[in-house]
Short mmCIF file of all heavy atoms in Angstrom, two decimals:
data_model
loop_
_atom_site.label_atom_id
_atom_site.label_comp_id
_atom_site.label_asym_id
_atom_site.label_seq_id
_atom_site.Cartn_x
_atom_site.Cartn_y
_atom_site.Cartn_z
N LYS A 1024 -92.07 12.94 56.60
CA LYS A 1024 -92.76 13.79 55.64
C LYS A 1024 -92.00 13.81 54.32
O LYS A 1024 -92.59 13.72 53.24
CB LYS A 1024 -92.90 15.21 56.20
CG LYS A 1024 -93.69 16.15 55.31
CD LYS A 1024 -93.85 17.52 55.97
CE LYS A 1024 -94.64 18.47 55.08
NZ LYS A 1024 -94.78 19.81 55.71
N ASP A 1025 -90.66 13.91 54.40
CA ASP A 1025 -89.84 13.86 53.19
C ASP A 1025 -89.95 12.50 52.52
O ASP A 1025 -90.01 12.41 51.28
CB ASP A 1025 -88.37 14.13 53.55
CG ASP A 1025 -88.13 15.56 54.00
OD1 ASP A 1025 -88.97 16.44 53.70
OD2 ASP A 1025 -87.10 15.81 54.66
N LEU A 1026 -89.98 11.43 53.31
CA LEU A 1026 -90.10 10.08 52.77
C LEU A 1026 -91.42 9.91 52.03
O LEU A 1026 -91.46 9.40 50.90
CB LEU A 1026 -89.99 9.05 53.90
CG LEU A 1026 -90.09 7.58 53.51
CD1 LEU A 1026 -88.87 7.16 52.70
CD2 LEU A 1026 -90.23 6.70 54.75
N ALA A 1027 -92.52 10.35 52.64
CA ALA A 1027 -93.83 10.22 52.01
C ALA A 1027 -93.93 11.06 50.74
O ALA A 1027 -94.58 10.66 49.78
CB ALA A 1027 -94.92 10.63 53.01
N ALA A 1028 -93.27 12.21 50.74
CA ALA A 1028 -93.29 13.06 49.54
C ALA A 1028 -92.51 12.42 48.41
O ALA A 1028 -92.90 12.51 47.23
CB ALA A 1028 -92.72 14.43 49.88
N ALA A 1029 -91.39 11.76 48.74
CA ALA A 1029 -90.55 11.15 47.70
C ALA A 1029 -91.13 9.83 47.20
O ALA A 1029 -90.97 9.49 46.02
CB ALA A 1029 -89.15 10.92 48.25
N LEU A 1030 -91.81 9.07 48.09
CA LEU A 1030 -92.36 7.77 47.72
C LEU A 1030 -93.85 7.72 48.08
O LEU A 1030 -94.26 6.94 48.95
CB LEU A 1030 -91.59 6.66 48.44
CG LEU A 1030 -90.07 6.64 48.25
CD1 LEU A 1030 -89.43 5.55 49.10
CD2 LEU A 1030 -89.70 6.46 46.78
N PRO A 1031 -94.67 8.53 47.43
CA PRO A 1031 -96.07 8.65 47.83
C PRO A 1031 -96.91 7.41 47.57
O PRO A 1031 -98.00 7.27 48.14
CB PRO A 1031 -96.57 9.84 47.00
CG PRO A 1031 -95.69 9.83 45.79
CD PRO A 1031 -94.34 9.39 46.28
N ASP A 1032 -96.42 6.51 46.71
CA ASP A 1032 -97.21 5.34 46.34
C ASP A 1032 -97.01 4.16 47.28
O ASP A 1032 -97.67 3.12 47.12
CB ASP A 1032 -96.86 4.91 44.91
CG ASP A 1032 -95.38 4.60 44.75
OD1 ASP A 1032 -94.56 5.34 45.34
OD2 ASP A 1032 -95.04 3.64 44.03
N LEU A 1033 -96.10 4.29 48.26
CA LEU A 1033 -95.80 3.16 49.13
C LEU A 1033 -96.40 3.35 50.52
O LEU A 1033 -96.26 4.42 51.12
CB LEU A 1033 -94.28 2.97 49.26
CG LEU A 1033 -93.53 2.56 48.00
CD1 LEU A 1033 -92.05 2.43 48.28
CD2 LEU A 1033 -94.07 1.24 47.46
N PRO A 1034 -97.07 2.31 51.05
CA PRO A 1034 -97.58 2.40 52.42
C PRO A 1034 -96.43 2.39 53.42
O PRO A 1034 -95.40 1.76 53.18
CB PRO A 1034 -98.44 1.14 52.55
CG PRO A 1034 -97.87 0.19 51.57
CD PRO A 1034 -97.37 1.01 50.41
N ILE A 1035 -96.60 3.10 54.52
CA ILE A 1035 -95.58 3.17 55.57
C ILE A 1035 -96.11 2.49 56.82
O ILE A 1035 -97.19 2.82 57.32
CB ILE A 1035 -95.20 4.63 55.88
CG1 ILE A 1035 -94.58 5.29 54.64
CG2 ILE A 1035 -94.23 4.69 57.05
CD1 ILE A 1035 -94.23 6.75 54.83
N VAL A 1036 -95.36 1.52 57.31
CA VAL A 1036 -95.70 0.78 58.52
C VAL A 1036 -94.74 1.22 59.61
O VAL A 1036 -93.53 1.18 59.43
CB VAL A 1036 -95.58 -0.74 58.29
CG1 VAL A 1036 -95.92 -1.50 59.57
CG2 VAL A 1036 -96.49 -1.18 57.15
N GLU A 1037 -95.28 1.65 60.76
CA GLU A 1037 -94.44 2.16 61.83
C GLU A 1037 -94.34 1.16 62.97
O GLU A 1037 -95.33 0.53 63.36
CB GLU A 1037 -94.98 3.49 62.36
CG GLU A 1037 -94.96 4.60 61.33
CD GLU A 1037 -95.37 5.94 61.91
OE1 GLU A 1037 -95.40 6.07 63.15
OE2 GLU A 1037 -95.68 6.85 61.12
N THR A 1038 -93.14 1.01 63.50
CA THR A 1038 -92.88 0.16 64.66
C THR A 1038 -92.36 1.04 65.78
O THR A 1038 -91.43 1.82 65.57
CB THR A 1038 -91.85 -0.93 64.33
OG1 THR A 1038 -92.28 -1.66 63.18
CG2 THR A 1038 -91.67 -1.88 65.50
N PRO A 1039 -92.91 0.95 66.99
CA PRO A 1039 -92.47 1.85 68.07
C PRO A 1039 -91.11 1.48 68.63
O PRO A 1039 -90.63 0.35 68.47
CB PRO A 1039 -93.56 1.64 69.13
CG PRO A 1039 -94.00 0.23 68.94
CD PRO A 1039 -93.96 0.01 67.45
N LEU A 1040 -90.48 2.44 69.27
CA LEU A 1040 -89.28 2.16 70.05
C LEU A 1040 -89.68 1.29 71.22
O LEU A 1040 -90.55 1.65 72.02
CB LEU A 1040 -88.68 3.48 70.55
CG LEU A 1040 -87.43 3.37 71.43
CD1 LEU A 1040 -86.27 2.79 70.64
CD2 LEU A 1040 -87.07 4.74 71.99
N LEU A 1041 -89.06 0.11 71.32
CA LEU A 1041 -89.44 -0.84 72.36
C LEU A 1041 -88.55 -0.68 73.59
O LEU A 1041 -87.40 -0.25 73.49
CB LEU A 1041 -89.33 -2.27 71.82
CG LEU A 1041 -90.16 -2.58 70.56
CD1 LEU A 1041 -89.88 -3.99 70.07
CD2 LEU A 1041 -91.65 -2.40 70.84
N ALA A 1042 -89.08 -1.07 74.72
CA ALA A 1042 -88.33 -0.95 75.97
C ALA A 1042 -87.18 -1.95 76.03
O ALA A 1042 -86.14 -1.68 76.65
CB ALA A 1042 -89.26 -1.15 77.17
N THR A 1043 -87.35 -3.09 75.39
CA THR A 1043 -86.30 -4.12 75.37
C THR A 1043 -86.07 -4.60 73.95
O THR A 1043 -86.91 -4.42 73.07
CB THR A 1043 -86.69 -5.32 76.25
OG1 THR A 1043 -87.92 -5.87 75.76
CG2 THR A 1043 -86.86 -4.90 77.70
N GLU A 1044 -84.93 -5.23 73.74
CA GLU A 1044 -84.60 -5.76 72.42
C GLU A 1044 -85.50 -6.94 72.11
O GLU A 1044 -85.67 -7.83 72.95
CB GLU A 1044 -83.13 -6.21 72.42
CG GLU A 1044 -82.42 -5.94 71.13
CD GLU A 1044 -80.96 -6.38 71.22
OE1 GLU A 1044 -80.42 -6.45 72.33
OE2 GLU A 1044 -80.39 -6.66 70.15
N PRO A 1045 -86.09 -7.01 70.90
CA PRO A 1045 -86.95 -8.15 70.56
C PRO A 1045 -86.12 -9.37 70.19
O PRO A 1045 -85.75 -9.57 69.03
CB PRO A 1045 -87.76 -7.63 69.37
CG PRO A 1045 -86.89 -6.60 68.74
CD PRO A 1045 -86.08 -5.98 69.84
N VAL A 1046 -85.80 -10.19 71.17
CA VAL A 1046 -84.99 -11.39 70.96
C VAL A 1046 -85.82 -12.61 71.35
O VAL A 1046 -86.46 -12.62 72.41
CB VAL A 1046 -83.69 -11.34 71.80
CG1 VAL A 1046 -82.92 -12.65 71.67
CG2 VAL A 1046 -82.82 -10.17 71.35
N GLY A 1047 -85.82 -13.62 70.48
CA GLY A 1047 -86.56 -14.83 70.77
C GLY A 1047 -87.95 -14.83 70.16
O GLY A 1047 -88.49 -13.79 69.76
N ALA A 1048 -88.53 -16.02 70.08
CA ALA A 1048 -89.80 -16.20 69.38
C ALA A 1048 -90.94 -15.41 70.01
O ALA A 1048 -91.77 -14.83 69.31
CB ALA A 1048 -90.15 -17.69 69.31
N GLU A 1049 -91.01 -15.37 71.34
CA GLU A 1049 -92.12 -14.69 72.00
C GLU A 1049 -92.10 -13.19 71.70
O GLU A 1049 -93.13 -12.57 71.42
CB GLU A 1049 -92.08 -14.93 73.50
CG GLU A 1049 -93.23 -14.26 74.26
CD GLU A 1049 -94.61 -14.65 73.75
OE1 GLU A 1049 -94.79 -15.79 73.28
OE2 GLU A 1049 -95.52 -13.79 73.80
N ALA A 1050 -90.90 -12.58 71.76
CA ALA A 1050 -90.79 -11.14 71.46
C ALA A 1050 -91.16 -10.86 70.01
O ALA A 1050 -91.81 -9.86 69.71
CB ALA A 1050 -89.37 -10.67 71.76
N LEU A 1051 -90.74 -11.73 69.09
CA LEU A 1051 -91.08 -11.56 67.67
C LEU A 1051 -92.58 -11.73 67.45
O LEU A 1051 -93.18 -11.03 66.63
CB LEU A 1051 -90.29 -12.55 66.82
CG LEU A 1051 -88.77 -12.34 66.80
CD1 LEU A 1051 -88.09 -13.52 66.13
CD2 LEU A 1051 -88.42 -11.05 66.08
N HIS A 1052 -93.17 -12.65 68.18
CA HIS A 1052 -94.62 -12.85 68.09
C HIS A 1052 -95.36 -11.58 68.52
O HIS A 1052 -96.32 -11.15 67.86
CB HIS A 1052 -95.02 -14.03 68.98
CG HIS A 1052 -96.50 -14.23 69.09
ND1 HIS A 1052 -97.27 -14.79 68.08
CD2 HIS A 1052 -97.37 -13.94 70.09
CE1 HIS A 1052 -98.53 -14.82 68.46
NE2 HIS A 1052 -98.62 -14.32 69.67
N GLN A 1053 -94.92 -10.96 69.60
CA GLN A 1053 -95.55 -9.73 70.07
C GLN A 1053 -95.37 -8.60 69.07
O GLN A 1053 -96.27 -7.78 68.87
CB GLN A 1053 -94.97 -9.34 71.44
CG GLN A 1053 -95.29 -10.31 72.55
CD GLN A 1053 -96.79 -10.46 72.78
OE1 GLN A 1053 -97.56 -9.51 72.65
NE2 GLN A 1053 -97.21 -11.68 73.10
N LEU A 1054 -94.20 -8.54 68.44
CA LEU A 1054 -93.96 -7.50 67.43
C LEU A 1054 -94.92 -7.66 66.26
O LEU A 1054 -95.51 -6.69 65.77
CB LEU A 1054 -92.51 -7.58 66.96
CG LEU A 1054 -92.06 -6.53 65.95
CD1 LEU A 1054 -92.23 -5.13 66.49
CD2 LEU A 1054 -90.59 -6.78 65.57
N ALA A 1055 -95.10 -8.89 65.80
CA ALA A 1055 -96.02 -9.14 64.69
C ALA A 1055 -97.46 -8.80 65.09
O ALA A 1055 -98.22 -8.28 64.27
CB ALA A 1055 -95.92 -10.60 64.24
N ARG A 1056 -97.83 -9.06 66.32
CA ARG A 1056 -99.17 -8.70 66.79
C ARG A 1056 -99.36 -7.18 66.76
O ARG A 1056 -100.45 -6.70 66.45
CB ARG A 1056 -99.38 -9.22 68.22
CG ARG A 1056 -99.64 -10.71 68.31
CD ARG A 1056 -100.08 -11.10 69.70
NE ARG A 1056 -101.32 -10.43 70.07
CZ ARG A 1056 -101.85 -10.49 71.29
NH1 ARG A 1056 -101.24 -11.17 72.25
NH2 ARG A 1056 -102.98 -9.87 71.56
N HIS A 1057 -98.30 -6.44 67.04
CA HIS A 1057 -98.40 -4.98 66.97
C HIS A 1057 -98.75 -4.53 65.56
O HIS A 1057 -99.62 -3.69 65.36
CB HIS A 1057 -97.08 -4.35 67.40
CG HIS A 1057 -96.98 -2.90 67.03
ND1 HIS A 1057 -97.52 -1.89 67.80
CD2 HIS A 1057 -96.45 -2.29 65.94
CE1 HIS A 1057 -97.32 -0.73 67.21
NE2 HIS A 1057 -96.67 -0.95 66.08
N TRP A 1058 -98.10 -5.12 64.56
CA TRP A 1058 -98.42 -4.73 63.18
C TRP A 1058 -99.86 -5.10 62.83
O TRP A 1058 -100.54 -4.38 62.12
CB TRP A 1058 -97.46 -5.42 62.21
CG TRP A 1058 -96.06 -4.94 62.30
CD1 TRP A 1058 -95.64 -3.68 62.57
CD2 TRP A 1058 -94.89 -5.74 62.15
NE1 TRP A 1058 -94.28 -3.63 62.59
CE2 TRP A 1058 -93.78 -4.88 62.32
CE3 TRP A 1058 -94.66 -7.08 61.86
CZ2 TRP A 1058 -92.48 -5.31 62.24
CZ3 TRP A 1058 -93.35 -7.53 61.78
CH2 TRP A 1058 -92.28 -6.66 61.96
N GLY A 1059 -100.29 -6.25 63.33
CA GLY A 1059 -101.64 -6.69 63.02
C GLY A 1059 -102.70 -5.80 63.62
O GLY A 1059 -103.77 -5.60 63.05
N ASN A 1060 -102.36 -5.19 64.77
CA ASN A 1060 -103.35 -4.39 65.48
C ASN A 1060 -103.26 -2.89 65.17
O ASN A 1060 -104.24 -2.18 65.24
CB ASN A 1060 -103.20 -4.57 67.00
CG ASN A 1060 -103.53 -5.99 67.42
OD1 ASN A 1060 -104.29 -6.68 66.75
ND2 ASN A 1060 -102.92 -6.43 68.52
N ARG A 1061 -102.03 -2.41 64.85
CA ARG A 1061 -101.85 -0.97 64.84
C ARG A 1061 -101.17 -0.42 63.60
O ARG A 1061 -100.67 0.67 63.60
CB ARG A 1061 -101.02 -0.55 66.05
CG ARG A 1061 -101.71 -0.79 67.38
CD ARG A 1061 -100.82 -0.36 68.52
NE ARG A 1061 -100.36 1.00 68.35
CZ ARG A 1061 -99.39 1.55 69.08
NH1 ARG A 1061 -98.78 0.85 70.00
NH2 ARG A 1061 -99.02 2.81 68.88
N THR A 1062 -101.10 -1.20 62.51
CA THR A 1062 -100.47 -0.67 61.31
C THR A 1062 -101.28 0.48 60.76
O THR A 1062 -102.49 0.44 60.71
CB THR A 1062 -100.37 -1.72 60.21
OG1 THR A 1062 -101.20 -2.80 60.50
CG2 THR A 1062 -99.02 -2.17 59.92
#
Side-chain angles (χ1 to χ4, degrees):
K1024 184 177 180 181
D1025 292 340
L1026 180 68
L1030 305 176
D1032 58 321
L1033 293 179
I1035 297 177
V1036 179
E1037 296 186 15
T1038 305
L1040 178 65
L1041 303 175
T1043 59
E1044 217 179 336
V1046 175
E1049 180 56 32
L1051 294 170
H1052 173 76
Q1053 294 300 324
L1054 182 59
R1056 284 190 61 187
H1057 166 84
W1058 292 326
N1060 294 334
R1061 294 179 53 192
T1062 15

